[in-house]
């Protein structure tokens, strides 16, 4: 059940971000508002996950960088 909910949530967010003519910033803003209204601790968890993802992407970018010599 948890995997299915995760897949549904992922698809929902992807479809919202892909919508033609819509800007992603308001959608992300609504998500942050909804999370913070439900639980402030959950908002901190969201922030932690964003930081973690950012670090992961930076590591990937550094490891895939091939200097030209």
């Amino acid at each position: 059940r948890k995997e299915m909910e995760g897949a549904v949530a992922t698809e929902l967010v992807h479809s919202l971000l892909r919508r033609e003519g819509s800007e992603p910033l308001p959608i992300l803003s609504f998500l942050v508002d909804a999370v913070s209204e439900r639980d402030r601790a959950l908002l901190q968890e969201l922030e932690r996950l964003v930081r973690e993802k950012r670090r992961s992407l930076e590591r990937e970018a550094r490891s895939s960088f091939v200097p030209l010599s």
Side-chain angles (χ1 to χ4, degrees):
R1 177 181 166 105
K2 213 170 199 175
E3 287 179 18
M4 188 170 108
E5 287 175 350
V8 169
T10 298
E11 183 55 35
L12 174 63
V13 171
H14 283 205
S15 68
L16 287 171
L17 293 175
R18 282 192 303 256
R19 285 178 46 187
E20 228 175 282
S22 69
E23 294 292 323
L25 193 56
I27 294 166
L28 294 176
S29 180
F30 292 136
L31 175 64
V32 169
D33 288 345
V35 168
S36 64
E37 286 173 10
R38 183 168 186 269
D39 185 346
R40 291 192 184 263
L42 193 57
L43 185 61
Q44 290 177 333
E45 179 64 12
L46 177 61
E47 184 177 8
R48 183 192 68 76
L49 290 169
V50 168
R51 282 194 311 267
E52 187 177 291
K53 186 63 167 183
R54 189 175 290 132
R55 282 192 295 266
S56 172
L57 292 172
E58 288 170 356
R59 281 193 300 272
E60 285 177 26
R62 283 194 302 268
S63 68
S64 66
F65 175 72
V66 178
L68 298 174
S69 336

